[in-house]
Amino acid sequence: MMFITLQEAKAQLRVDTDTDADDSDIELKIHAASGAVRNYLKSSADLYFDEAGVVIPAAIPDEVKVATQIMLGHLYKDRDEDSSGAFAQGFLPRPVTALLYPLRTPALA
């Protein structure tokens, strides 16, 4: 499940598109970033998948794509930790949540 393509990810990361040396690592991080975004959106993310659970690229809002790119950037740059202090443990970076919050189905108490 990926909200962005490998080519979009490489452009975001400023990685040479003519080489595939980091492709498997980048694809793994795309899946992780997409999963984090999907988990944050909860059931709202269901709109972006067909009955078989496959992503519908045309259904993905730009906010979801950009949030995934930002999350990918953090995973790629800070591979071991959040050295920049961009987000608290257990939370996504603020720019990611700022983009996604209006799309999210709120949790009920």
Side-chain angles (χ1 to χ4, degrees), residues 5-101:
T5 65
L6 178 60
Q7 295 306 81
E8 290 169 327
K10 288 174 102 172
Q12 169 71 15
L13 299 172
R14 312 287 194 278
V15 172
D16 184 2
T17 57
D18 294 332
T19 180
D20 61 357
D22 286 342
D23 285 4
S24 61
D25 181 51
I26 293 170
E27 284 181 347
L28 178 64
K29 287 174 174 52
I30 294 169
H31 283 281
S34 296
V37 167
R38 184 177 189 181
N39 288 338
Y40 182 82
L41 289 172
K42 301 184 183 216
S43 63
S44 300
D46 294 345
L47 300 170
Y48 316 135
F49 297 89
D50 65 16
E51 295 101 27
V54 177
V55 173
I56 306 167
I60 302 170
D62 291 338
E63 294 88 347
V64 171
K65 286 185 168 200
V66 172
T68 304
Q69 289 175 325
I70 293 168
M71 193 66 218
L72 171 68
H74 280 282
L75 294 173
Y76 191 78
K77 179 182 157 241
D78 295 323
R79 294 172 187 249
D80 296 328
E81 62 180 271
D82 176 30
S83 61
S84 64
F87 51 99
Q89 184 175 354
F91 295 93
L92 298 178
R94 287 187 177 136
V96 173
T97 58
L99 288 164
L100 298 176
Y101 188 78

